Amino acid sequence: MRIELATSPGDPQRPNEDYVSVALPASGVGGVLVLLDGVTPPPDEDGCIHGVPWFTARLGGALLELSGSRRDMPLADCLSSAIERTTEVHRHTCDLSHALTPQSTVVAARWDETTVEYLVLSDSVLLLEGPDGAVTPVLDDRIDRLRAAGHRLAGLRNIEGGFFTAAADPRVAGRAVTGSTPRDRVRALAALSDGAGRWVEVFREGDWSQCFALLRKEGPQALIDQVRAAEDADPTGTRFPRGKAYDDAAVVFAQP
Ligand SMILES: [Zn+2]
């Protein structure tokens, strides 16, 4: 088994709002990976005294624990319970009805000898590499479709017809892209926050297959290093327009 992960803040002066972790059960069979990308609110405009890094660590930790210990529960149910658990911790101190209450994208994958299950919510990506080396991205493409249709994303968060992030309402788990595939159809898998996925989606260094090949050969840190170099080379976003010049980045690569 080979598992590697890397994460780095877009701005070293600010806390990293991405979260990435892996759990391997004591049985020695299978594993779980979880990757979250917290949504950055304007300063002091999220109604929460804890902040986004606290939220992603809480939610990610709960999701990892539930996915690993409750293998009888589908990943969407694990996410729903993890949101519920996180909400419960700060419902009395924070305004969780706030539109910008701490929230994040979610990728989770769980494997054993027979099956790989996965869940993707919002714009982080899961890559599955087949036995022949073909790479299949698993994407929740709601944001891309809204952008392509000319919509502005403000006001479309967590509403019908818009896009969905994991915030305070556990029912959002039902909006996630979920599926499963036989274990022997997956040679390796990787998850990336959009700050790392911009290697493909913004800087066009290669497609998802080439991105996966880089991860396999040189590991997650090398991918993040290449993203940072591309950001440094275009700090004002002139050549490669993007929301943030630098973004938090997280990557996990797993070859079970
Ligand atoms: Zn809070």
Side-chain angles (χ1 to χ4, degrees):
M1 186 181 307
R2 173 184 163 201
I3 293 178
E4 294 176 33
L5 42 82
T7 183
S8 91
D11 176 352
Q13 307 302 318
R14 282 183 44 87
N16 190 345
E17 293 172 341
D18 286 2
Y19 169 95
V20 60
S21 62
V22 173
L24 304 174
S27 65
V29 175
V32 179
L33 66 81
V34 170
L35 181 142
L36 275 54
D37 177 357
V39 176
T40 310
D44 300 321
E45 272 189 47
D46 59 3
C48 172
I49 60 172
H50 303 95
V52 175
W54 175 91
F55 174 82
T56 50
R58 280 274 171 175
L59 180 61
L63 180 55
L64 187 76
E65 192 266 308
L66 284 162
S67 306
S69 65
R70 294 294 308 273
R71 300 186 81 84
D72 56 312
M73 274 168 68
L75 290 177
D77 291 353
C78 293
L79 176 59
S80 171
S81 293
I83 293 171
E84 220 165 345
R85 202 187 270 188
T86 306
T87 295
E88 198 48 49
V89 184
H90 67 149
R91 73 158 72 247
H92 298 297
T93 54
C94 307
D95 173 14
L96 302 189
S97 65
H98 197 294
L100 294 175
T101 188
Q103 52 200 277
S104 77
T105 74
V106 181
V107 175
R110 174 168 66 185
W111 61 91
D112 60 16
E113 310 103 311
T114 60
T115 310
V116 177
E117 300 159 80
Y118 52 83
L119 175 150
V120 177
L121 182 68
S122 196
D123 60 354
S124 295
V125 62
L126 177 71
L127 303 176
L128 302 175
E129 186 193 43
D132 57 354
V135 174
T136 306
V138 182
L139 297 154
D140 173 359
D141 63 357
R142 287 186 182 94
I143 289 179
D144 284 344
R145 279 189 281 129
L146 290 166
R147 280 208 187 103
H151 290 287
R152 290 166 49 86
L153 296 179
L156 292 175
R157 188 184 297 282
N158 291 326
I159 63 163
E160 198 59 48
F163 67 99
F164 297 90
T165 51
D169 182 354
R171 289 173 301 178
V172 80
R175 306 285 189 165
V177 174
T178 58
S180 67
T181 185
R183 171 70 183 78
D184 61 10
R185 304 305 300 162
V186 179
R187 189 163 74 179
L189 60 163
L192 295 80
S193 66
D194 69 339
R198 55 173 49 183
W199 190 89
V200 173
E201 296 178 316
V202 174
F203 297 114
R204 315 269 172 213
E205 301 272 351
D207 60 16
W208 289 119
S209 295
Q210 289 161 316
C211 179
F212 203 94
L214 173 64
L215 289 175
R216 175 178 277 293
K217 185 158 177 259
E218 299 183 44
Q221 187 61 51
L223 176 72
I224 294 177
D225 290 346
Q226 289 195 10
V227 168
R228 295 289 175 245
E231 289 167 336
D232 285 342
D234 179 40
T236 53
T238 317
R239 262 194 83 199
F240 301 102
R242 53 197 191 270
K244 295 174 183 171
Y246 296 84
D247 196 4
D248 297 342
V251 185
V252 51
F253 173 90
Q255 189 168 348

